[in-house]
Amino acid sequence: MNAPRPAACPRPDDRLVPRAPSPGHDRTAPVELVAGVWHVRSAAVARELLRSRGTLQAGFQADAVRTGVTGMRYPVLYLDGDEHRAARTSIGRYFAPTTVTRRYRDLMEQRADELVAEIEAAGEADLADVALRYSVDIAAQVVGLTDSDREGMTRRLEVFFSGSLGVLSPTSGSGEKPEAAGRLARLTAGLTALRSLLPMGRFYLSDVRPAVRARRARRRDDVISHLIDQGRSATEILSECLTYAAAGMVTTREFLSLAAWHLLRDDALRERYLGGGDDERMAILLEILRLEPIIGTLYRRLAAPLEVGSGEQTVVLPAGALVAVPVHEVDLDERVVGAGPAGEGPAQLCPGRELPPGYKPEMLGFGDGAHRCPGNALALQESDVFLQRLLRLPLVIERDPEIGWDAVVEGFELRDVRLRVRAVAPEPARR
C-alpha cells in the first residue's frame, strides 16, 4: 500500500500504553536466551522465525490445549504444517478482501450508522461497549452465529473472555524444574477449564447450538455451514466459534477502542483521518496498530533446529525451544522502522513511514508467516467504516480509560472509555 507521505507527523506521540521490555539482560541483543525461553527482538529475525516451516504455534495456551484435549480436530489456530495450510485455504474465502466488501460492507455501514445515531441521541457512550456490540454484529454474520439474541450473546462472550482464560502463559513455570512446571501447567489448565465451563456452556446452548441446528436444516455461506460440511462434531464447532469470537470480536473491539482513543485525543490526526482517502486512512490505522499491537507477544516452539541471523551474528535455536517474539518491542526496531519524514523516532505515531521492502506498515500487528491473522481485511474495513462515522460527532473524552491486561494475548484492555457528545451552538440566523 503506497500511502501518501506527510510532510511531518501530527506530533511526538508516545504510545498509549507503556510496556516493560521483555525479560533479559541485553536489550540490544537480537536474540537472547532468558530462563529457558529464547527472546527475539530483531524484526528481521522475528520475520525469519515466523515464516519458517519448522515452527509450531505455542501461543494462546497451545501446549496446554494439545496435551489436555484429545480425540478431536483442533481449531485452525492450533494447527500447523500441511493441516494448517489446508484449513486456512478452506476458510480463506470468507475473509478475502473482495468477499468482505461484497458481502459485509452494507452491514458494516448499517450497524455503524445505527450505533452512532444511538450515541448522538443519548449524548454519551462507553466506547468499549459500543465497539464490542459492533464487532460482535459483524463477526457473527461471518461465522454464522445469527440464530440467537445478539445482545445476549455479546454479554455471554464478554463474561467468557473477561479473565476466565488468562491465567497461564507459555512461559509459566519456566524457572521451575521440568516436572514441577508440567504439574503446574496441568493444574492451572484444569482450574482454568473449570472456571470457563459455565460461560462456555451458556454460549453453546444459547448461541452455537441454535445456529448449528438452523444450518443442518439449510446451509448458508458461512463458517458454521462449512464446518458442518466437514463433518465436525458439536465440540469442534464450539471450539472454532470461540476462536473466531476471540479473533473477530474481542481483538477488533480492542483495536476500535484504541484507534478511536488515539484519534480523539489528537485533533490534527483526526482531521487528517477524516479528510484523507482510503490509503491515507489505512496508513493511519496501520501505524496505530504498529505502535499498539493488540497481541503483545507471539510464541513458537521449534520442531527442528533453526539457524537465524541478524547482521553478522547467527544463532542456532535448538529443536524443542520455546521462542517469544515481543511484538511491542520488535515493532520499534530502529534497524527497520527508522525515522519518520521529520526525524520522528520508532515510538512516535507517524503514518506513511518508508520501510524496507517486504515489511508491512503494521510490522507484526497482524502477525506474520503461516499464522498471520486471516481476518485482517475484515478488521480494518469494519474499523474504518465505524470510525469514519463516530469521529464526525463532536465528541469529547470525559476521563482517561482504565487499562487492564489480558494474560492470554499478553496485551492490554481499554475499559470505561467514556465519551460525551459536545453541545454545538447553532449558527446565527441569516438575514
Side-chain angles (χ1 to χ4, degrees):
M1 183 180 298
N2 295 319
R5 179 177 176 177
C9 298
R11 63 183 173 86
D13 190 357
D14 293 334
R15 291 189 293 176
L16 176 62
V17 185
R19 293 171 177 79
S22 60
H25 307 289
D26 183 0
R27 302 299 179 202
T28 64
V31 183
E32 185 182 16
L33 179 63
V34 182
V37 180
W38 292 89
H39 293 262
V40 171
R41 301 186 184 89
S42 157
V45 174
R47 189 171 65 160
E48 185 179 359
L49 169 81
L50 296 171
R51 295 183 180 184
S52 170
R53 293 196 172 191
T55 63
L56 304 175
Q57 172 69 272
F60 312 105
Q61 303 180 353
D63 288 347
V65 169
R66 292 190 185 109
T67 57
V69 180
T70 58
M72 65 171 282
R73 283 175 282 187
Y74 298 126
V76 64
L77 176 65
Y78 298 108
L79 300 177
D80 288 292
D82 291 341
E83 193 176 11
H84 178 260
R85 282 189 288 275
R88 284 286 295 258
T89 299
S90 69
I91 65 169
R93 69 180 189 271
Y94 299 108
F95 302 98
T98 53
T99 301
V100 169
T101 299
R102 175 175 53 85
R103 295 198 58 200
Y104 306 115
R105 178 79 185 198
D106 289 346
L107 173 65
M108 294 175 190
E109 293 177 348
Q110 175 190 337
R111 288 300 293 137
D113 286 336
E114 292 170 352
L115 290 170
V116 169
E118 288 182 18
I119 296 173
E120 187 172 23
E124 61 180 4
D126 184 305
L127 177 59
D129 289 346
V130 176
L132 181 61
R133 290 171 59 196
Y134 175 68
S135 59
V136 167
D137 285 344
I138 307 305
Q141 289 290 329
V142 181
V143 177
L145 292 167
T146 59
D147 295 84
S148 57
D149 172 54
R150 194 66 48 79
E151 296 292 337
M153 182 170 68
T154 301
R155 291 192 298 272
R156 286 185 284 275
L157 286 171
E158 188 165 29
V159 169
F160 180 77
F161 287 112
S162 62
S164 62
L165 299 178
V167 295
L168 178 67
S169 73
T171 56
S172 293
S174 58
E176 303 285 344
K177 294 181 180 180
E179 316 85 62
R183 288 195 298 271
L184 174 62
R186 288 192 295 273
L187 175 61
T188 309
L191 292 173
T192 300
L194 286 174
R195 282 200 297 271
S196 64
L197 278 177
L198 183 57
M200 185 190 301
R202 288 172 176 161
F203 175 59
Y204 173 72
L205 293 174
S206 300
D207 306 299
V208 177
R209 187 169 66 173
V212 171
R213 285 176 173 174
R215 281 149 186 78
R216 289 196 189 281
R218 182 173 65 85
R219 299 290 196 274
R220 303 177 196 175
D221 192 13
D222 53 36
V223 173
I224 290 179
S225 296
H226 170 71
L227 296 174
I228 293 173
D229 287 338
Q230 286 190 321
R232 296 297 192 96
S233 68
T235 302
E236 291 167 348
I237 293 175
L238 170 62
S239 63
E240 291 281 13
C241 286
L242 286 171
T243 300
Y244 287 113
M249 302 175 189
V250 178
T251 58
T252 302
R253 169 214 212 168
E254 298 303 338
F255 178 66
L256 266 174
S257 300
L258 167 73
W261 178 254
H262 268 286
L263 291 162
L264 284 169
R265 56 201 286 265
D266 189 320
D267 292 340
L269 185 63
R270 182 172 67 253
E271 290 174 8
R272 179 176 161 188
Y273 177 81
L274 291 174
D278 292 346
D279 284 355
E280 176 79 352
R281 295 195 310 276
M282 284 299 112
I284 292 172
L285 294 181
L286 292 172
E287 174 71 350
I288 291 173
L289 182 59
R290 180 190 70 84
L291 279 178
E292 312 276 19
I294 306 303
I295 307 297
T297 305
L298 302 173
Y299 290 94
R300 296 293 183 268
R301 194 171 291 281
L302 298 187
L306 178 66
E307 181 177 320
V308 295
S310 179
E312 298 180 355
Q313 178 185 7
T314 60
V315 177
V316 177
L317 306 178
L322 178 63
V323 186
V325 180
V327 177
H328 52 275
E329 290 188 57
V330 172
D331 281 3
L332 303 183
D333 187 347
E334 293 184 355
R335 292 159 289 197
V336 172
V337 178
E344 298 85 355
Q348 293 172 238
L349 199 160
C350 184
R353 292 175 181 270
E354 290 188 359
L355 302 179
Y359 288 92
K360 299 181 182 300
E362 73 276 16
M363 294 292 284
L364 298 184
F366 285 119
D368 204 334
H371 282 279
R372 176 173 163 80
C373 174
N376 60 85
L378 178 67
L380 285 172
Q381 188 166 156
E382 67 179 287
S383 297
D384 184 46
V385 166
F386 182 77
L387 289 169
Q388 285 189 71
R389 287 155 173 78
L390 178 74
L391 296 174
R392 286 191 166 87
L393 290 179
L395 294 172
V396 294
I397 301 168
E398 288 196 324
R399 59 176 175 270
D400 290 340
E402 294 181 3
I403 300 175
W405 186 255
D406 186 322
V408 174
V409 301
E410 298 198 13
F412 59 85
E413 299 174 332
L414 293 185
R415 295 295 180 268
D416 199 23
V417 187
R418 299 299 307 179
L419 303 179
R420 179 171 53 81
V421 180
R422 185 180 68 251
V424 178
E427 294 185 3
R430 295 180 180 178
R431 295 184 179 181

